[in-house]
């Protein structure tokens, strides 16, 4: 069942993607995408999909090959899909992991349903929004800020290689929706200790004194897709965003010390790390062999950040390697490349994962109840 309030473009895209996954035997129980329907600004926003499975597949490598083939087929349908379906899904989870509250609450709180059981989905999201605030939240939202503030966001790094429309409009979109809005979203959550569902909701609901007009300015960005009057240039908009965020960050409290995570939160860290690594092969296969005319070099370079995050998580999970699960995490960490990612890096890693297929399969399929750290 598709979200009725979604823009028709994304309704159709979600239906098409569901169909391709089914045709290629991916076996999704539910499909979701990150962010709320109001946050998907046509024609610039991409559909960032998450896949939920009833059970872990017997062969993750073969499952990823089918996922990559389905994604390639969906992108090949329309030239615009090169941007709208920029990359294969970002995570894969099992329904048992979602039922067990082991998917990160701040991540799940942003999801919208594409296809699947709406009742299950609403239950998961409601529980995610109501769960007690903890260190997982602090790390999630502060990670968003850390990756963008202090000069880390670079407009030039938001590639236009697969953009087929107005490049200037897309660059404005990047400033507003890839830089300011995610930071505002994270700041609102940290300031209120509330898991906001999306960017539009944060800009609408969190209005610190003196910043109301700036929230309105960036909210009007959505309308700017339909009106070219009184629009700021991307560099001007970026300077405004820098200044606004400097002021907004003064409303964000210092980080809370939550101490060592309990066993359940450690299991969440395991599930999130496994969930991200479960789809890496599909991404790499797509990036290395995209449809004709699709640019993926910038996506290959981005993989370095994702792999660094996974390597750090695995290092923490491995700890002193005294339990079987810790030793599994340590073995998986040795299979991740370090440093910049190139096409050669991905090919080498694919070959390494194939040679160590049993190790990869065991890590990706370990049941949360068997994670003892």
């Amino acid at each position: 069942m598709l979200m009725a309030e979604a823009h028709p473009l994304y309704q159709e895209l979600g239906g098409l993607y569901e169909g391709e996954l089914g045709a290629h035997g991916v076996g999704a129980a539910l499909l979701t995408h990150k962010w709320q329907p109001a946050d998907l600004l046509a024609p610039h926003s991409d559909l960032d999909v998450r896949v939920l499975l009833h059970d872990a597949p017997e062969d993750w490598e073969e499952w990823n090959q089918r996922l990559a083939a389905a994604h390639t087929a969906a992108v090949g349908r329309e030239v615009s899909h090169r941007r709208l379906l920029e990359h294969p899904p970002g995570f894969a989870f099992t329904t048992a992991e979602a039922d067990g509250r082991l998917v990160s609450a701040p991540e799940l709180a942003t999801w919208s349903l594409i296809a699947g059981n709406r009742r299950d989905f609403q239950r998961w999201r409601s529980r995610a929004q109501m769960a007690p605030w903890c260190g997982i939240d602090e790390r999630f939202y502060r990670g968003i800020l850390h990756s963008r503030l202090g000069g880390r966001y670079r407009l030039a790094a938001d590639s236009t290689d697969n953009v087929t429309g107005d490049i200037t409009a897309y660059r404005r979109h990047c400033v507003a929706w890839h830089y300011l809005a995610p930071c505002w979203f994270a700041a609102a959550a940290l300031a209120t200790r509330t898991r906001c569902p999306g960017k539009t909701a944060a800009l609408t609901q969190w209005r610190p004194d003196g910043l109301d007009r700036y929230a309105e300015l960036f909210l009007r960005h959505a309308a700017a897709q339909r009106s070219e009057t009184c629009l700021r240039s991307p560099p001007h908009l970026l300077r405004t965003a820098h200044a606004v965020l400097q002021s907004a960050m003064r409303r964000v409290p210092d980080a809370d010390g939550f101490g060592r995570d309990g066993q359940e939160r450690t299991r969440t860290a395991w599930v999130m790390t496994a969930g991200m690594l479960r789809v890496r092969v599909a991404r790499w296969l797509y990036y290395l062999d995209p449809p004709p005319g699709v640019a993926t070099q910038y996506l290959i370079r981005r993989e370095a950040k994702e792999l660094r995050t996974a390597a750090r998580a695995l290092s923490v999970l491995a700890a002193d390697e005294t339990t079987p699960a810790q030793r599994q995490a340590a073995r998986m960490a040795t299979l991740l490349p370090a440093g910049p990612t190139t096409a050669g890096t991905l090919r080498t890693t694919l070959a390494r994962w194939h040679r160590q297929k049993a190790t990869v399969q065991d890590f990706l399929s370990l049941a949360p109840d068997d994670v003892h750290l």
Side-chain angles (χ1 to χ4, degrees):
M1 180 183 292
L2 297 178
M3 296 294 286
E5 64 269 36
H7 187 286
L9 173 65
Y10 296 102
Q11 284 188 344
E12 294 170 8
L13 196 62
L16 181 149
Y17 206 77
E18 178 191 8
E20 290 293 357
L21 294 187
H24 287 81
V26 171
L30 284 93
L31 283 183
T32 70
H33 66 76
K34 190 175 183 181
W35 303 122
Q36 301 308 297
D39 297 327
L40 300 182
L41 304 183
H44 301 309
S45 296
D46 66 308
L47 200 65
D48 198 350
V49 175
R50 281 83 172 97
V51 179
L52 287 101
L53 306 169
H54 286 301
D55 299 293
E58 293 183 4
D59 186 332
W60 278 107
E61 182 181 53
E62 192 268 339
W63 181 85
N64 269 269
Q65 291 167 353
R66 285 184 271 127
L67 179 60
H71 189 83
T72 299
V75 172
R77 294 289 194 95
E78 297 283 349
V79 171
S80 63
H81 293 180
R82 298 175 184 180
R83 165 60 194 155
L84 296 174
L85 294 172
E86 187 174 50
H87 51 70
F91 290 91
F93 302 108
T94 66
T95 53
E97 290 166 348
D99 271 330
R101 307 187 187 203
L102 295 174
V103 177
S104 163
E107 159 72 21
L108 201 156
T110 68
W111 289 0
S112 296
L113 185 66
I114 296 175
N117 188 303
R118 184 177 295 276
R119 182 176 296 177
D120 286 345
F121 173 74
Q122 295 289 14
R123 183 178 70 256
W124 298 338
R125 197 169 70 171
S126 176
R127 293 190 316 196
Q129 290 169 334
M130 298 300 292
W133 189 269
C134 67
I136 291 172
D137 299 286
E138 289 283 327
R139 288 189 290 274
F140 179 87
Y141 295 112
R142 292 188 189 278
I144 292 172
L145 298 178
H146 179 75
S147 66
R148 290 168 174 81
L149 298 180
R152 294 181 184 89
Y153 174 77
R154 294 184 300 113
L155 180 57
D158 259 324
S159 175
T160 60
D161 288 349
N162 290 318
V163 177
T164 57
D166 185 334
I167 299 297
T168 300
Y170 179 72
R171 290 197 178 281
R172 280 195 295 265
H173 169 83
C174 291
V175 173
W177 238 230
H178 296 174
Y179 176 45
L180 181 129
C183 290
W184 195 283
F185 160 83
L190 291 164
T192 63
R193 286 198 165 192
T194 301
R195 298 180 190 94
C196 196
K199 304 172 189 178
T200 302
L203 284 162
T204 301
Q205 297 167 10
W206 188 62
R207 300 286 182 88
D209 291 343
L211 295 180
D212 188 276
R213 68 189 181 97
Y214 293 107
E216 285 295 330
L217 169 68
F218 285 94
L219 271 177
R220 285 201 304 272
H221 165 75
Q225 311 310 317
R226 297 180 293 275
S227 171
E228 290 299 314
T229 61
C230 302
L231 292 180
R232 303 184 181 202
S233 69
H236 186 184
L237 196 63
L238 184 59
R239 290 192 296 272
T240 302
H242 286 326
V244 170
L245 288 174
Q246 282 185 342
S247 181
M249 290 310 108
R250 291 196 286 270
R251 278 75 167 182
V252 175
D254 292 337
D256 279 321
F258 279 86
R260 183 176 174 82
D261 285 339
Q263 182 71 6
E264 287 306 306
R265 289 168 186 163
T266 301
R267 286 176 176 158
T268 292
W270 183 287
V271 166
M272 295 305 296
T273 304
M276 186 265 276
L277 292 175
R278 286 167 180 162
V279 295
R280 262 31 248 171
V281 166
R283 286 200 170 195
W284 301 340
L285 291 172
Y286 175 74
Y287 296 164
L288 292 170
D289 187 22
V294 177
T296 59
Q297 282 300 317
Y298 70 99
L299 295 167
I300 290 173
R301 290 192 296 270
R302 282 187 198 171
E303 281 296 294
K305 176 184 174 183
E306 303 286 347
L307 292 169
R308 282 196 302 270
T309 299
R312 286 194 296 268
L314 289 170
S315 177
V316 172
L317 293 168
D320 56 6
E321 301 183 32
T322 57
T323 71
Q326 288 173 334
R327 289 191 287 274
Q328 275 198 343
R331 287 193 293 271
M332 192 68 203
T334 67
L335 302 181
L336 300 186
T341 43
T342 64
T345 305
L346 299 190
R347 290 191 185 95
T348 299
T349 307
L350 282 169
R352 184 184 302 132
W353 282 31
H354 181 71
R355 290 194 302 270
Q356 299 293 328
K357 188 171 181 175
T359 297
V360 175
Q361 182 72 24
D362 288 348
F363 176 82
L364 298 182
S365 299
L366 188 67
D369 288 347
D370 295 328
V371 177
H372 301 292
L373 302 171

